[in-house]
Amino acid sequence: MKASERSGTIALTEDSYFSREAQSAFMSASQFKAFRACEAAALAEIRGEWQREETTALLVGSYVDAHFTGTLEAFRGQHPNIFTRAGEPKAEYRQAEQVIARIERDPTMAKYLSGEKQVIMTGEIADVPFKIKVDALHPGKAIVDLKIMRDFQPIWDPDARKRVPWWLAWGYDFQAAIYQEIERQNRGPDAAPLPFYLAAATKEREPDIGVWQIEQGQLDRALDIVRELAPHYAALKR
């Protein structure tokens, strides 16, 4: 992160990235998706009037993320509830260890998850300040995000009235479009967008793994929607 990555007087760091001040000053991919789901809930979360529940499923994914970003010891210290009274990880987190081992055994996953870790960048989309935190950046080559899912089965989309790929059902195309555009801006106005990949694993008894590239046409359509809706969400925040 460069020292110039600021909005007003806010400089984003590892410690301040998720702060309420940063959430108010910047839009993020998760915040954008929260607004699409429910504007009132998104505003309540930004104002500190409502806090998203830390579910076991969410914590298991965060456990795996923390391992690959080198912050696992800090994560364990912040979440003592993941341990039994005997000091051993609870069953769900032993499963997380199996997911980690499965990823590390695979050379393709290792390749995609190498590179610069947790890279913070800022930029603007439709005059709205955005912040991103890239799991694995391969400078000039690719953007990679790690996802830990229940499984890779298609999910029913009530709007489309059919099952759609898991990454589409969870709105990861919007995250990819935002990350791709902000990263592109940080390389210059004439830079071309980098390919975006999801390196994912499942929490099944025998973890499955895979790498998905979201095709550029899908990312362009998602970015058009971000450009259309982000100014409205930013106005609600103000």
Side-chain angles (χ1 to χ4, degrees):
M1 184 203 73
K2 301 180 179 65
S4 60
E5 289 174 353
R6 302 171 181 270
S7 178
T9 59
I10 302 173
L12 293 182
T13 65
E14 186 71 28
D15 292 333
S16 68
Y17 187 84
F18 292 108
S19 68
R20 189 176 302 171
E21 188 179 23
Q23 297 290 74
S24 296
F26 293 93
M27 188 78 66
S28 65
S30 58
Q31 191 179 103
F32 177 84
K33 293 195 296 178
F35 269 109
R36 287 191 79 235
C38 178
E39 293 178 357
L43 284 173
E45 187 171 12
I46 292 167
R47 293 169 180 162
E49 300 166 353
W50 174 75
Q51 187 171 356
R52 195 177 301 272
E53 181 185 2
E54 276 195 328
T55 63
T56 299
L58 182 63
L59 285 173
V60 168
S62 297
Y63 187 101
V64 178
D65 281 339
H67 171 85
F68 285 102
T69 56
T71 59
L72 186 55
E73 288 307 312
F75 178 84
R76 287 171 169 167
Q78 293 163 4
H79 299 88
N81 58 313
I82 72 176
F83 296 99
T84 65
R85 290 182 179 179
E88 297 295 326
K90 292 179 180 178
E92 297 88 344
Y93 303 97
R94 291 198 298 273
Q95 174 65 12
E97 294 281 0
Q98 293 180 27
V99 174
I100 290 168
R102 179 69 184 90
I103 292 172
E104 290 186 331
R105 286 199 306 269
D106 188 85
T108 299
M109 292 289 283
K111 172 186 173 183
Y112 278 89
L113 290 173
S114 65
E116 299 180 13
K117 303 291 195 300
Q118 299 293 290
V119 180
I120 295 172
M121 294 181 175
T122 63
E124 292 188 353
I125 299 175
D127 296 322
V128 176
F130 271 82
K131 63 186 176 78
I132 65 172
K133 194 177 187 184
V134 181
D135 283 346
L137 178 64
H138 300 257
K141 296 180 180 179
I143 303 165
V144 181
D145 196 70
L146 174 64
K147 297 297 182 192
I148 308 301
M149 310 301 300
R150 183 179 65 181
D151 56 48
F152 294 147
Q153 295 301 311
I155 299 172
W156 177 259
D157 183 335
D159 294 328
R161 299 179 63 84
K162 64 179 181 179
R163 292 187 179 276
V164 300
W166 59 270
W167 54 264
L168 187 61
W170 284 97
Y172 293 144
D173 54 334
F174 291 110
Q175 177 188 353
I178 291 166
Y179 277 37
Q180 187 185 65
E181 173 60 15
I182 298 304
E183 191 282 334
R184 185 196 66 79
Q185 291 177 17
N186 276 257
R187 283 184 290 113
D190 299 323
L194 296 183
F196 184 95
Y197 297 91
L198 293 171
T202 70
K203 293 177 284 189
E204 296 168 294
R205 183 180 296 275
E206 293 295 331
D208 196 3
I209 56 173
V211 176
W212 283 259
Q213 180 179 4
I214 302 180
E215 61 98 12
Q216 192 59 45
Q218 181 69 38
L219 296 182
D220 292 341
R221 290 188 290 273
L223 185 59
D224 285 342
I225 295 173
V226 175
R227 288 184 174 128
E228 177 186 354
L229 296 178
H232 169 63
Y233 298 153
L236 290 177
K237 289 171 67 175
R238 290 194 297 272

